[in-house]
């Protein structure tokens, strides 16, 4: 079977090109060996299910592994503890049969008797306490330590029977020195045990109890890094012989994804299957543009949660457009939620958007909202064709026409307006020009109240634009020097400076600034 890049369902090494995660598996194994109870809580499409399946193989024959998936349990199976116990017993028995099929180890039938009784019950007689007793008996009669893995554990979290089950699981684990139980418990889902409460209904406050106070902290980095991506591309290159530079491609993929597993695989899949094996900067940026445009379920989920949690919405909007600083404090609700869903990360103690693709998607979403709600923003719809010369973007023309557009605004502008809307107006103007062919991102270290650096990628060509609020000649000179250094870093000879100015003695207009072999086109509005 020919290998492919996979973005749906579980990945298998013999069928799919994959990043080697053996080091991550070794870290997880150390938690299992130590007898920990922990949750692999990561955002959607972050490789949790694949990791669990590979972990089963990685643990080898040292353990008996019971692997369950709560997505296989229907909503009706949670109607009461008896129905739930019956269904769960059936799933556990099925997991045991799968384990025995793939192992030389056989479990004595006497160890399964109670589970079989529960699975066969036709009347509501044996509930969660009986299920716990059956699990204890199972663990006690097996000569190997038993590991319980439950995937998609949060799919039923808004349910009292589920929470009661977590309670008995906790008690069994806590008392395992006195009575046989699982060596280790591994749960996997988007929600950590400690923040499963976010799934509960408002009338479920009484459920915030003990099930989430025993889990060990899960610190394993499940994102993909440059060397791991490079290794996957080298395996691909050995099969396909495209002539790609695997190091450069891996670095560029990581630059846009920050190693988010789904995004890494999606970009590779697009280049392999839709973009005629263009494993170079232009091809990868085309793939990024397709990914950014969507739609896909990952973005659907992102927008759903951003609109669902107003505090998260406000925080992300303020970071992107106002340059506001938010300390990364996990007890702050929007930070907790944004981190849990994978939208934000901790960067030196400060909240940052998780990756460039998510950042662009959020920019596009907030800009769409702004266009709908703000009549000024709705006017910023330039004719795209005038900016494309010989198939490439004419950024000089973009800047000149934005100057004309901004000067045509009928209302007198003030500093407060620009601090709130200036960047949005420019991005609203820019987006339809490059949409469909190019993309943009904002250098997060420059995203402050008074300055923003935008990088536009168009068919492999980059344009560096600094947006700033005029703060006097000395401040402006520092901004120019910063932009010249950025041009050096990006290997560019020409850059752009858009200044919003409110000083009466400062002339507005367009001019060029020369510094060595580099030129800045400065637009002052």
């Amino acid at each position: 079977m020919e290998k492919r890049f996979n973005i749906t369902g579980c990945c298998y090494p013999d069928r799919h090109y994959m990043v080697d995660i053996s080091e991550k598996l070794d870290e997880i194994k150390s938690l299992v060996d130590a007898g920990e109870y922990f949750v692999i809580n990561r955002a959607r499409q972050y490789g949790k299910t694949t990791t669990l399946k590979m972990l089963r193989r990685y643990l080898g024959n040292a353990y008996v592994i019971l692997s369950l998936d709560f997505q296989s349990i229907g909503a009706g199976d949670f109607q009461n503890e008896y129905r739930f116990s019956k269904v769960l017993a059936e799933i556990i028995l099925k997991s045991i049969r799968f384990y025995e099929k793939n192992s030389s180890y056989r479990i004595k039938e006497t160890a399964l008797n109670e589970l079989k009784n529960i699975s066969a019950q036709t009347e509501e007689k044996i509930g969660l306490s009986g299920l716990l007793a059956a699990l204890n008996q199972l663990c006690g009669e097996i000569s190997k330590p038993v590991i319980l893995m439950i995937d998609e554990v949060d799919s039923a979290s808004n349910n009292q029977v589920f929470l009661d089950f977590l309670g008995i699981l906790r008690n069994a684990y806590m008392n395992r020195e006195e009575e046989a139980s699982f060596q280790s418990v591994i749960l996997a889902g988007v929600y950590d045990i400690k923040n499963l409460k976010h799934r509960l209904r408002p009338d479920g406050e009484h459920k915030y109890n003990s099930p989430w106070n025993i889990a060990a902290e899960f610190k394993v980095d499940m994102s993909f890094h440059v060397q791991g991506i490079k290794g996957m591309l080298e395996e691909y290159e050995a099969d396909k012989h495209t002539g790609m530079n695997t190091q450069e491609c891996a670095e560029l993929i990581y630059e846009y994804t920050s190693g988010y597993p789904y995004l890494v695989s999606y970009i590779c899949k697009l280049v392999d299957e839709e973009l005629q094996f263009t494993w170079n900067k232009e091809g990868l940026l085309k793939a990024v543009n397709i990914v950014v445009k969507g739609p896909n379920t990952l973005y659907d989920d992102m927008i759903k949660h951003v609109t669902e949690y107003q505090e998260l919405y406000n925080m992300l909007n303020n970071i992107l457009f106002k340059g506001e600083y938010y300390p990364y404090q996990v007890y702050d609700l929007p930070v907790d939620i944004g981190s849990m869903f994978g939208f934000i990360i901790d960067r030196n103690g400060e909240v940052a958007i998780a990756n460039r693709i998510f950042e662009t998607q959020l920019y596009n979403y907030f800009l769409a909202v702004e266009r709908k709600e703000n009549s000024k923003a709705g006017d910023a719809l330039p004719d795209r064709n005038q900016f494309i010369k010989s198939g490439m973007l004419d950024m000089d023309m973009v800047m000149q026409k934005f100057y004309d557009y901004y000067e045509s605004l009928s209302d007198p502008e003030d500093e407060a307006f620009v601090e709130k809307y200036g960047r949005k107006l420019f991005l609203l103007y820019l987006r339809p020009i490059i949409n469909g062919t190019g993309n943009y991102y904002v250098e997060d270290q420059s995203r402050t109240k008074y300055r923003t650096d935008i990088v536009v990628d168009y068919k492999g060509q980059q344009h560096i634009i600094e947006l700033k609020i005029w703060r006097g000649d000395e401040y402006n000179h520092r901004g120019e020097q910063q932009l010249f250094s950025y041009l050096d870093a990006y290997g560019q000879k020409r850059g752009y400076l858009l200044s919003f100015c409110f000083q009466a003695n400062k002339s507005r207009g367009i001019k060029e600034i020369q510094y060595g072999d580099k030129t800045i086109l400065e637009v002052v509005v």
Side-chain angles (χ1 to χ4, degrees):
M1 179 184 296
E2 184 179 0
K3 282 190 175 184
R4 305 179 69 182
F5 293 102
N6 181 46
I7 59 172
T8 56
C10 188
C11 293
Y12 297 92
D14 57 334
R15 296 182 231 167
H16 304 122
Y17 293 109
M18 296 175 58
V19 170
D20 181 7
I21 64 169
S22 56
E23 288 186 10
K24 305 179 194 300
L25 294 175
D26 197 51
E27 290 183 66
I28 300 174
K29 182 179 182 297
S30 67
L31 292 173
V32 173
D33 292 341
E36 297 287 6
Y37 179 121
F38 59 96
V39 185
I40 301 177
N41 63 295
R42 290 295 181 271
R44 286 193 56 176
Q45 296 177 296
Y46 219 94
K48 299 181 295 295
T49 298
T50 296
T51 298
L52 284 182
K53 289 185 180 296
M54 294 190 69
L55 182 62
R56 284 196 320 216
R57 300 182 185 182
Y58 197 76
L59 292 176
N61 294 318
Y63 300 101
V64 170
I65 300 171
L66 305 184
S67 182
L68 319 180
D69 185 342
F70 267 26
Q71 280 193 322
S72 63
I73 303 179
D77 296 329
F78 290 90
Q79 59 187 342
N80 58 53
E81 64 174 296
Y82 305 103
R83 174 65 183 170
F84 176 78
S85 298
K86 172 183 172 65
V87 170
L88 197 58
E90 292 171 353
I91 293 173
I92 292 171
L93 288 169
K94 182 179 179 180
S95 176
I96 289 171
R97 288 193 289 271
F98 177 84
Y99 172 81
E100 290 183 327
K101 181 180 178 181
N102 293 277
S103 168
S104 59
Y105 186 81
R106 294 294 176 265
I107 297 171
K108 293 183 295 185
E109 285 300 311
T110 54
L112 306 177
N113 287 340
E114 287 303 313
L115 281 173
K116 290 180 178 179
N117 289 338
I118 297 172
S119 69
Q121 67 177 332
T122 56
E123 299 180 20
E124 297 182 349
K125 291 183 178 180
I126 308 175
L128 292 175
S129 60
L131 179 63
L132 174 60
L135 292 175
N136 286 341
Q137 178 184 353
L138 174 68
C139 294
E141 295 198 29
I142 295 177
S143 59
K144 293 183 179 183
V146 183
I147 308 301
L148 178 64
M149 295 181 180
I150 306 179
D151 197 10
E152 302 292 348
V153 71
D154 50 358
S155 62
S157 58
N158 195 14
N159 190 292
Q160 184 61 52
V161 172
F162 165 80
L163 298 175
D164 291 342
F165 169 71
L166 278 186
I168 70 160
L169 196 59
R170 171 192 184 277
N171 290 337
Y173 175 81
M174 293 288 285
N175 297 323
R176 65 192 186 282
E177 295 298 327
E178 289 77 35
E179 189 168 9
S181 188
F182 302 108
Q183 150 91 6
S184 182
V185 176
I186 308 171
L187 310 179
V190 172
Y191 292 78
D192 192 326
I193 280 188
K194 295 185 289 297
N195 53 39
L196 273 171
K197 56 182 178 290
H198 293 314
R199 294 292 301 270
L200 303 179
R201 298 182 299 270
D203 62 354
E205 296 289 331
H206 65 284
K207 299 175 186 174
Y208 295 13
N209 52 27
S210 60
W212 25 77
N213 67 4
I214 62 168
E217 189 172 3
F218 185 75
K219 296 182 179 181
V220 179
D221 181 2
M222 292 179 64
S223 61
F224 297 157
H225 294 276
V226 172
Q227 285 305 109
I229 299 171
K230 180 185 177 185
M232 175 177 67
L233 295 180
E234 286 174 344
E235 181 187 1
Y236 172 90
E237 181 65 14
D239 292 341
K240 304 290 187 176
H241 309 291
T242 68
M244 81 164 91
N245 185 317
T246 55
Q247 179 69 29
E248 290 181 0
C249 288
E251 289 175 356
L252 188 58
I253 291 170
Y254 183 80
E255 191 176 325
Y256 276 87
T257 66
S258 296
Y260 197 110
Y262 170 80
L263 298 176
V264 170
S265 296
Y266 193 4
I267 289 171
C268 293
K269 185 176 180 68
L270 286 169
V271 176
D272 176 52
E273 298 180 13
E274 297 185 25
L275 299 177
Q276 300 178 330
F277 311 109
T278 49
W279 289 98
N280 53 35
K281 184 175 183 179
E282 182 177 348
L284 289 170
L285 290 180
K286 281 183 182 179
V288 167
N289 192 49
I290 294 171
V291 173
V292 168
K293 285 172 63 178
N296 59 57
T297 56
L298 189 59
Y299 296 160
D300 293 343
D301 199 54
M302 173 188 289
I303 301 307
K304 170 190 170 185
H305 291 307
V306 168
T307 55
E308 186 177 29
Y309 296 98
Q310 186 63 44
E311 290 179 79
L312 177 63
Y313 181 102
N314 293 340
M315 180 183 73
L316 294 173
N317 191 54
N318 290 340
I319 289 172
L320 292 174
F321 292 105
K322 297 182 182 179
E324 292 191 6
Y325 167 84
Y326 284 81
Y328 192 91
Q329 171 54 262
V330 293
Y331 294 107
D332 190 5
L333 180 62
V335 175
D336 185 24
I337 294 172
S339 176
M340 177 175 62
F341 292 135
F343 308 155
I344 63 172
I345 57 173
D346 179 359
R347 183 167 294 156
N348 301 320
E350 181 178 355
V351 172
I353 309 303
N355 57 68
R356 286 180 181 174
I357 290 177
F358 280 4
E359 178 184 275
T360 304
Q361 187 67 22
L362 288 168
Y363 267 119
N364 290 343
Y365 169 71
F366 287 125
L367 290 173
V369 172
E370 187 69 30
R371 188 185 299 282
K372 183 178 180 181
E373 296 179 352
N374 187 331
S375 59
K376 275 191 176 66
D379 293 336
L381 291 170
D383 175 16
R384 178 178 184 273
N385 293 329
Q386 65 183 311
F387 303 105
I388 309 303
K389 303 291 178 62
S390 301
M392 298 304 293
L393 179 64
D394 185 345
M395 184 55 71
D396 283 27
M397 177 71 77
V398 173
M399 302 302 291
Q400 291 165 7
K401 290 297 184 180
F402 180 77
Y403 174 83
D404 295 340
Y405 160 72
Y406 191 88
E407 291 295 303
S408 72
L409 293 176
S410 57
D411 294 340
E413 306 303 347
D414 58 25
E415 187 170 347
F417 171 84
V418 170
E419 287 185 1
K420 185 174 183 180
Y421 291 111
R423 295 168 188 170
K424 283 187 178 180
L425 284 176
F426 179 74
L427 290 174
L428 281 165
Y429 194 86
L430 175 68
R431 183 187 169 198
I433 296 172
I434 65 172
N435 193 34
T437 305
N439 55 75
Y440 66 92
Y441 61 88
V442 175
E443 286 286 6
D444 57 351
Q445 68 266 31
S446 74
R447 191 192 295 114
T448 66
K449 189 174 184 181
Y450 301 120
R451 174 172 153 252
T452 299
D453 295 305
I454 298 170
V455 181
V456 175
D457 280 322
Y458 195 93
K459 293 186 175 180
Q461 184 178 14
Q462 290 185 313
H463 304 279
I464 317 299
I465 311 158
E466 179 175 329
L467 276 60
K468 59 188 285 296
I469 297 175
W470 185 275
R471 285 289 182 273
D473 289 333
E474 182 179 351
Y475 179 86
N476 191 62
H477 179 69
R478 291 200 304 269
E480 292 169 358
Q481 296 305 309
Q482 181 68 62
L483 182 51
F484 281 126
S485 69
Y486 272 161
L487 294 178
D488 261 339
Y490 282 93
Q492 302 293 316
K493 300 293 186 183
R494 191 171 183 83
Y496 302 87
L497 178 60
L498 174 59
S499 299
F500 296 93
C501 178
F502 308 97
Q503 295 185 2
N505 61 348
K506 175 63 179 175
S507 60
R508 290 158 175 77
I510 302 174
K511 69 176 182 179
E512 287 190 347
I513 303 168
Q514 195 74 30
Y515 184 81
D517 64 344
K518 295 178 176 55
T519 305
I520 291 176
L521 182 70
E522 181 182 20
V523 178
V524 182
V525 295

